[in-house]
Amino acid sequence: NYAGDDEDEEMADVDDDEDDDELDDEYSDDEDTSYKIRRSATKLLAAIIGTRPELLIPTYKTVSPVLISRFGDREMTVRLEVWATYATLLNQTAVYGIPQGKDDIRKRKRDTETSDAAESPYSLLQSQVPSLSKALLNQLKSAKTPPATLQAGFSLLHTLLTVLPGSLSTQVSLIFSTSKTIL
């Protein structure tokens, strides 16, 4: 009886080794999982942006430039998630950001008036529009860009124009040339 059990244990050990080899092959490259981490981190940022509107100004200062830099992520799913997160930021700005000219409440406090006006979510967004549009349009230029990606990119531009009308007026020629290349 004992001799047979030893063989079973050895066979089980061999089977376990084979399973380990399969797992090693599946996850041998760090790239296989890094996109999942980037995508999950982006989803976490979207959740924070969506639930913490009081953090709009710090978000535009610290998170927005990083998101814009990730517009060109090599993994398409991550890229689309980054764009969706930025759309969430734009939507939060539309809902909770105080547009320029409507800051009558803030005018009561002379000490904070200049700093609030200079650092409103709208002014911070306006300052980032050139880099945002350039990074986004660079991703849409290729004729090989999948239709879903094109739709997501132009949807983000539409959201930007909804939140900040006229913000893309300086990028019209670039938008036209990109659209012409795509069509």
Side-chain angles (χ1 to χ4, degrees):
N1 282 345
Y2 292 110
D5 287 341
D6 289 338
E7 289 176 22
D8 289 341
E9 286 177 16
E10 289 175 15
M11 293 293 282
D13 289 343
V14 170
D15 289 342
D16 287 343
D17 291 341
E18 289 173 7
D19 290 343
D20 291 341
D21 290 340
E22 289 174 14
L23 289 175
D24 289 341
D25 291 340
E26 186 177 339
Y27 295 108
S28 63
D29 188 10
D30 289 335
E31 280 305 310
D32 286 344
T33 58
S34 69
Y35 82 93
K36 293 177 184 177
I37 295 167
R38 293 191 312 273
R39 191 177 63 206
S40 295
T42 305
K43 287 180 180 185
L44 176 63
L45 281 173
I48 292 169
I49 292 167
T51 58
R52 300 292 306 270
E54 71 274 10
L55 297 177
L56 278 176
I57 290 175
T59 300
Y60 271 109
K61 288 180 178 179
T62 58
V63 176
S64 179
V66 175
L67 285 174
I68 292 170
S69 73
R70 298 309 302 181
F71 274 14
D73 195 280
R74 66 184 170 271
E75 183 66 36
M76 188 64 62
T77 58
V78 175
R79 189 179 316 157
L80 292 175
E81 195 63 45
V82 168
W83 294 356
T85 300
Y86 208 89
T88 302
L89 179 59
L90 292 173
N91 290 329
Q92 288 295 90
T93 302
V95 173
Y96 296 104
I98 297 174
Q100 295 169 343
K102 294 186 178 181
D103 57 352
D104 295 333
I105 297 170
R106 290 190 177 137
K107 287 185 180 179
R108 293 180 195 163
K109 297 180 181 177
R110 289 188 174 260
D111 296 338
T112 60
E113 180 180 325
T114 56
S115 65
D116 284 347
E119 293 187 346
S120 74
Y122 283 93
S123 64
L124 292 169
L125 173 59
Q126 182 66 46
S127 69
Q128 296 174 3
V129 166
S131 61
L132 183 155
S133 61
K134 182 180 178 185
L136 184 59
L137 290 171
N138 280 340
Q139 297 306 309
L140 302 177
K141 279 183 187 177
S142 173
K144 296 179 182 179
T145 305
T149 303
L150 292 173
Q151 182 179 2
F154 281 107
S155 176
L156 182 58
L157 288 174
H158 180 266
T159 304
L160 175 63
L161 286 173
T162 302
V163 174
L164 203 59
S167 61
L168 293 174
S169 61
T170 58
Q171 283 81 20
V172 169
S173 62
L174 184 59
I175 293 169
F176 280 143
S177 66
T178 301
S179 299
K180 185 178 177 182
T181 303
I182 292 168
L183 297 174

